[in-house]
Amino acid sequence: MIRRTTYAALLGLLATPVVAQDIAGQGIAADAEITAVLVDNMIVTELTTICPKLAPRTVRVNRQAKEMMGTITAKGYGARDIQSLQDPAFLATLAAKSERFFAANGIEKRDTEAMCAFGKAQIAKRTPLGKLMKNR
């Protein structure tokens, strides 16, 4: 749900003309600010999908997506850039970053109990990830 909401919001920008790439010429896929939001979105989606007692805070997730769209527009990215966010290779890169995040936090993604405990701890600590989720 979160992923669909974020991508739906991004797809709404497809009518925007292509204006520019980022300063380094790397494009949107190399933009750390944008990829960080997408990785957070992927992590929250994984946690709320695996843990039936966790749910996304859709208002906050939608606000985050809207802010990211503002950043995308302000940086001059256009329709082709946004479409590149759906590229399977880019999505695999996001998934790898998500895997590294969980591994760095000592969480085995197959361990549902650990994933749920981690998500609940994030909510309790009011971390940036925790603020995107709620207990059901």
Side-chain angles (χ1 to χ4, degrees):
M1 165 112 172
I2 295 172
R3 180 182 295 169
R4 282 182 267 172
T5 303
T6 302
Y7 288 129
L10 290 173
L11 291 176
L13 288 177
L14 289 177
T16 307
V18 175
V19 178
Q21 287 190 347
D22 64 335
I23 296 171
Q26 297 288 322
I28 197 168
D31 191 309
E33 184 178 5
I34 293 168
T35 57
V37 171
L38 294 173
V39 170
D40 284 354
N41 182 273
M42 184 174 278
I43 291 166
V44 168
T45 299
E46 289 175 289
L47 289 169
T48 58
T49 299
I50 290 171
C51 305
K53 293 188 178 185
L54 299 179
R57 288 188 180 272
T58 53
V59 172
R60 288 188 185 193
V61 171
N62 289 338
R63 185 176 340 131
Q64 182 188 53
K66 186 175 180 179
E67 289 169 1
M68 184 174 61
M69 287 177 20
T71 300
I72 287 169
T73 302
K75 290 185 174 191
Y77 295 118
R80 285 187 219 140
D81 297 305
I82 294 165
Q83 287 175 332
S84 73
L85 298 177
Q86 298 177 10
D87 179 69
F90 177 68
L91 294 175
T93 300
L94 294 179
K97 288 181 180 187
S98 169
E99 291 284 339
R100 285 193 300 271
F101 171 82
F102 284 115
N105 284 284
I107 307 297
E108 173 64 43
K109 288 177 68 172
R110 291 181 294 216
D111 185 349
T112 303
E113 192 174 307
M115 291 281 285
C116 294
F118 178 78
K120 288 179 182 182
Q122 295 297 299
I123 293 168
K125 292 177 186 173
R126 303 206 31 85
T127 67
L129 285 175
K131 291 178 182 179
L132 296 174
M133 298 179 288
K134 62 184 177 182
N135 291 306
R136 290 186 197 230

